[in-house]
Amino acid sequence: MTTVAPRAAGSAKAAKPATMAQALRQAMRDAMAEDPTVHILGEDVGTLGGVFRVTDGLAAEFGDDRCTDTPLAEAGILGAAVGMAMYGLRPVVEMQFDAFAYPAFEQLASHVAKTRNRTRGALPLPITIRIPYGGGIGGVEHHSDSSEAYYMATPGLHVVTPATVEDAYGLLRASIASDDPVVFLEPKRLYWSKSQWSPGAPATVEPIGRAVVRRPGRSATLVTYGPSLTVCLEAAEAARAEGWDLEVVDLRSLVPFDDETVVASVRRTGRAVVVHESQGFGGPGGEIAARITERCFHHLEAPVLRVAGFDIPYPPPMLEQHHLPGVDRVLDAVARLQWEADS
Amino acid sequence: MKKSSTTVQEPPGAVVHRTTPPPVWQPRTDPAPLLPDREPYRVLGTEAAGDVDPELLRRLYAELVRGRRFNAQATALTKQGRLAVYPSSTGQEACEVAAALVLQERDWLFPSYRDTLAVVARGLDPVQALTLLRGDWHTGYDPREHRIAPLSTPLATQLPHAVGLAHAARLKGDDVVALAMVGDGGTSEGDFHEALNFAAVWQAPVVFLVQNNGFAISVPLAKQTAAPSLAHKAVGYGMPGRLVDGNDAPAMHAVLSEAVRRARSGGGPTLVEAVTYRLDAHTNADDATRYRGDGEVEAWRAHDPVRLLEHELTERGMLDRDGISKAADDADAMAARLRDRMNADPELDPMDLFAHVYAEQTSQLREQAALLRAELDASAEPADDAPGQGGTR
């Protein structure tokens, strides 16, 4: 764990709370300033500053060669990044939206994930692939997928997702610094979430792969990440009225998976619910629940439960509130953790 | 706001269509210089042959003979089980050799799985070049040390890598060219189009070499594309397309050299289509008699790249029977050395399975590595009832 003091954000307004989008931008800005090999590329990342404005100002500050608007072709973007990494650059690519990344999947699975391995370590590919993901912003189809299970199922990739403004900064710095490819999933409904951390303030950069207990508790563990963290924290507050003292673990990294933190928590509480908004069947929760069961069987007072999105293509925006796991669905699952008393 | 279902009415005050001319539009470039010639460029048997440096012709000949022998030897190694598979480039040696020879040491080669010969002609140890096909590891060499990308099995996916690398080199101010090889079937893949488009937009110093050998496994070119030629595809991206006889080694060398020169001097990418023929099957697992007749193969044998150059050199008095024999002997010696080396079993360490997945092993991989280690140790221990090895009581 290192603490970095980023360059000042360039204005006296640095004391204002920052959004996650600002933290991500600051992470790229600081990485680019420190390391001339860091290059950003993607559709709209330059003049427009990204459709979510996450790269706003970077082309103006570092030039078109460092922050490059590319042709609209995701396989080409990621494929070019592979070649750039082969020549010693550290590309950070933006995929704009979750479902837009699918054309690049062959590059990701066949080259990005495997090249270190197929060259026996001779050719590492330090590429960060930023993908705004998940729903809850009223996007039309193909703009709200939670595609993390595909990336988790591809050995050779790290899969990281921040849930807080501070982590957005720290995890992106760590991802860009990583000598391995990182799929960096940005929960787009948290882009405008704020914290007291501000661009220019010192920030913590940990090695990726460590979960964190966001809220300590004794009665059960909610295991979650990314966009569902806020749901779980809210559910934990609401559950107090029912006499439940819930611990909330934010995974932050899906690959590598922090068994240690999760297992320690579940052994303490004896009960676990995995919460995420991607589909349940074949989704991350199945893997997580299995890992918990394998390691905590004798500590468990109830089966590990999953609260996930339905096993459906992402619904139209006017119906997405029924699909996304909300506080009530989490609380219902927590209630079911008393199963042995009822059965 | 409902409108008539049968007529579209202009809203009040709208500009009436076509009363004002549209803004001026022109294609950005004159397509004429980008278009390939109607016939593949040829040197052998033409007046241009007289202008080729005799030393280059001799070198090309030696490399073609060695390449032909290499293809035969590698094919034989598949029959002996020493190679898992070998996609032969017999008949395409002129393309393979020229691709390697036109590059400087600092340049990069991006081969497909059929381009082992180009990799060897670039100077890589043949055993390292055959590692993938032997099956002991996926890539047998350090790509950055030799400036040869891993042999790419997925089709055309290495082309955007060539573009990205060339682009990065140019950003860094390095005088580096990337040459990327792909087959005719690969030109149908999306990555082919994206790579060409990126290269042209970025004016990246890349040469794309399409070896049109007639078939994508069994599918003939006519079912692959409706384009007049594969070289014609270049014009749509805004780069020159060049058509060349892929069995004419000095023609291949000339066209690729010119493309490399253009790339190095800031002229951007070129798409080169080499019209050639795969005389062998796709791989040893393929039955080429199912999709092409003997007559077609024989017609192409008459246009064999080795014989074409041999004929030219003989006609010009640069090669005689002794010279032909010497080249064949040299190639045989190379093949014998390769055979000997490939007959040695590679030493593999199973623990390498976990060594290079990530820079640092995850805890999950450490657990799995420990499992395999324990299995290996258990299988290495002698059984309890095995005879003792000289222990005394």
Side-chain angles (χ1 to χ4, degrees):
Chain A
M1 183 159 73
T2 54
T3 300
V4 295
R7 297 180 312 147
S11 87
K13 292 180 277 185
K16 271 172 61 177
T19 64
M20 181 179 281
Q22 286 173 309
L24 293 165
R25 181 187 317 140
Q26 188 68 26
M28 283 184 274
R29 188 169 180 245
D30 292 344
M32 292 174 90
E34 279 174 26
D35 181 353
T37 67
V38 175
H39 283 243
I40 291 172
L41 62 159
E43 165 80 3
D44 299 314
V45 298
T47 307
L48 181 65
V51 292
F52 293 103
R53 306 294 181 270
V54 176
T55 56
D56 193 18
L58 297 179
E61 184 172 353
F62 295 98
D64 294 345
D65 285 346
R66 297 283 305 279
C67 183
T68 306
D69 276 332
T70 65
L72 206 176
E74 287 77 10
I77 293 168
L78 189 52
V82 169
M84 292 165 75
M86 288 171 80
Y87 206 77
L89 299 185
R90 223 166 247 281
V92 180
V93 307
E94 180 179 295
M95 285 292 160
Q96 196 158 96
F97 280 97
D98 33 58
F100 296 179
Y102 301 149
F105 198 80
E106 186 185 17
Q107 284 292 341
L108 189 69
S110 294
H111 292 289
V112 174
K114 290 178 180 168
T115 296
R116 170 189 286 280
N117 188 249
R118 56 207 281 254
T119 62
R120 303 179 88 166
L123 195 56
L125 293 179
I127 303 172
T128 302
I129 303 149
R130 295 179 40 242
I131 308 177
Y133 84 119
I137 64 160
V140 295
E141 62 169 352
H142 309 302
H143 288 72
S144 298
D145 288 15
S146 294
S147 34
E148 57 268 33
Y150 299 133
Y151 307 121
M152 289 173 71
T154 306
L157 303 175
H158 290 303
V159 184
V160 168
T161 176
T164 68
V165 174
E166 290 82 355
D167 268 2
Y169 181 88
L171 287 173
L172 186 51
R173 288 299 304 271
S175 299
I176 296 171
S178 169
D179 286 332
D180 284 316
V182 181
V183 175
F184 191 90
L185 297 165
E186 299 175 0
K188 58 175 100 71
R189 75 168 129 133
L190 297 182
Y191 269 144
W192 300 280
S193 64
K194 290 184 178 176
S195 97
Q196 288 308 309
W197 183 82
S198 57
T204 302
V205 179
E206 289 184 61
I208 57 182
R210 291 187 188 165
V212 63
V213 175
R214 292 287 179 204
R215 182 191 192 282
R218 289 174 293 105
S219 343
T221 301
L222 302 180
V223 181
T224 191
Y225 56 86
S228 294
L229 175 66
T230 50
V231 174
C232 287
L233 289 173
E234 205 179 314
E237 283 306 305
R240 289 208 305 193
E242 310 283 330
W244 286 91
D245 180 19
L246 298 178
E247 182 147 306
V248 179
V249 173
D250 174 7
L251 293 173
R252 306 202 281 194
S253 165
L254 295 167
V255 183
F257 187 85
D258 185 354
D259 287 297
E260 200 181 332
T261 301
V262 173
V263 166
S265 173
V266 177
R267 285 186 178 176
R268 268 196 308 274
T269 62
R271 294 177 170 84
V273 180
V274 187
V275 183
H276 58 66
E277 69 178 56
S278 72
Q279 80 290 350
F281 188 87
E287 172 64 30
I288 296 166
R291 302 188 81 82
I292 293 172
T293 305
E294 285 174 355
R295 289 162 177 77
C296 307
F297 186 71
H298 294 293
H299 300 263
L300 287 172
E301 306 288 342
V304 181
L305 299 180
R306 285 172 291 165
V307 176
F310 297 133
D311 300 332
I312 57 172
Y314 198 85
M318 292 175 80
L319 292 171
E320 69 178 347
Q321 77 274 19
H322 301 293
H323 165 75
L324 294 170
V327 171
D328 289 347
R329 211 172 279 165
V330 174
L331 291 174
D332 286 347
V334 169
R336 281 165 57 211
L337 290 174
Q338 299 180 83
W339 74 291
E340 69 176 354
D342 301 336
S343 59
Chain B
M1 185 166 70
K2 290 194 176 178
K3 283 186 180 176
S4 157
S5 60
T6 52
T7 59
V8 178
Q9 294 175 349
E10 291 293 342
V15 177
V16 179
H17 290 308
R18 296 302 185 204
T19 57
T20 54
V24 175
W25 181 88
Q26 288 178 329
R28 273 194 300 203
T29 55
D30 174 5
L34 303 181
L35 279 168
D37 292 334
R38 296 183 65 85
E39 280 291 311
Y41 179 66
R42 293 196 170 94
V43 168
L44 296 176
T46 74
E47 284 181 13
D51 298 334
V52 184
D53 175 12
E55 268 318 297
L56 175 62
L57 290 178
R58 285 197 187 91
R59 173 141 195 234
L60 286 170
Y61 178 70
E63 292 287 348
L64 288 191
V65 173
R66 285 161 59 88
R68 174 62 50 87
R69 188 67 188 85
F70 185 94
N71 274 321
Q73 184 58 58
T75 301
L77 286 168
T78 62
K79 292 176 181 152
Q80 295 155 12
R82 282 292 175 187
L83 289 181
V85 66
Y86 184 70
S88 164
S89 59
T90 298
Q92 303 174 225
E93 289 90 346
C95 304
E96 298 282 312
V97 164
L101 296 194
V102 297
L103 295 180
Q104 303 287 321
E105 198 177 328
R106 62 187 180 279
D107 297 330
W108 273 72
L109 181 68
F110 286 78
S112 82
Y113 59 88
R114 196 180 296 286
D115 302 319
T116 318
L117 207 57
V119 170
V120 173
R122 182 153 169 78
L124 189 74
D125 177 353
V127 174
Q128 290 186 342
L130 287 169
T131 301
L132 166 75
L133 301 162
R134 172 154 70 171
D136 63 296
W137 203 258
H138 301 309
T139 300
Y141 52 91
D142 180 341
R144 285 198 286 216
E145 181 188 344
H146 301 282
R147 286 158 303 281
I148 303 169
L151 292 153
S152 184
T153 308
L155 292 189
T157 52
Q158 79 280 20
L159 305 185
H161 306 171
V163 177
L165 182 135
H167 177 65
R170 206 172 59 139
L171 289 180
K172 215 174 158 193
D174 293 346
D175 184 19
V176 167
V177 172
L179 189 152
M181 305 174 76
V182 68
D184 42 300
T187 66
S188 298
E189 294 279 3
D191 281 57
F192 171 82
H193 300 281
E194 297 191 19
L196 265 65
N197 191 46
F198 267 67
V201 169
W202 284 352
Q203 285 292 287
V206 187
V207 177
F208 299 101
L209 169 58
V210 179
Q211 290 179 76
N212 171 9
N213 68 9
F215 293 89
I217 304 187
S218 69
V219 178
L221 188 72
K223 290 188 182 176
Q224 196 68 242
T225 180
S229 79
L230 298 173
H232 274 80
K233 290 175 185 273
V235 68
Y237 302 103
M239 74 175 79
R242 294 290 175 258
L243 198 55
V244 56
D245 184 335
N247 290 18
D248 182 330
M252 280 302 304
H253 192 276
V255 170
L256 289 177
S257 293
E258 170 61 17
V260 167
R261 188 204 57 74
R262 182 183 301 111
R264 208 184 297 287
S265 62
T270 304
L271 173 63
V272 176
E273 176 187 1
V275 182
T276 183
Y277 196 78
R278 158 164 59 74
L279 288 171
D280 287 346
H282 168 62
T283 68
N284 44 310
D286 172 33
D287 177 6
T289 62
R290 281 174 172 256
Y291 54 85
R292 63 190 194 188
D294 291 344
E296 177 182 319
V297 179
E298 288 316 308
W300 276 96
R301 273 192 209 288
H303 194 65
D304 179 298
V306 186
R307 300 286 94 80
L308 283 182
L309 185 54
E310 203 170 272
H311 180 76
E312 179 83 29
L313 292 173
T314 311
E315 287 284 295
R316 293 172 58 182
M318 292 168 59
L319 190 68
D320 56 14
R321 273 190 189 286
D322 285 352
I324 293 171
S325 296
K326 186 178 179 312
D329 291 347
D330 286 351
D332 279 341
M334 175 276 300
R337 284 193 300 275
L338 176 62
R339 199 163 53 235
D340 287 348
R341 294 180 67 205
M342 293 299 287
N343 278 331
D345 289 324
E347 283 182 28
L348 301 179
D349 180 359
M351 298 312 291
D352 270 1
L353 290 175
F354 303 101
H356 306 296
V357 183
Y358 298 100
E360 191 182 330
Q361 280 183 12
T362 62
S363 60
Q364 289 79 38
L365 286 183
R366 283 197 296 275
E367 281 176 24
Q368 291 160 32
L371 171 70
L372 180 61
R373 181 80 266 163
E375 287 176 3
L376 294 170
D377 290 346
S379 65
E381 282 171 15
D384 287 346
D385 55 355
Q389 293 291 318
T392 52
R393 288 169 194 264

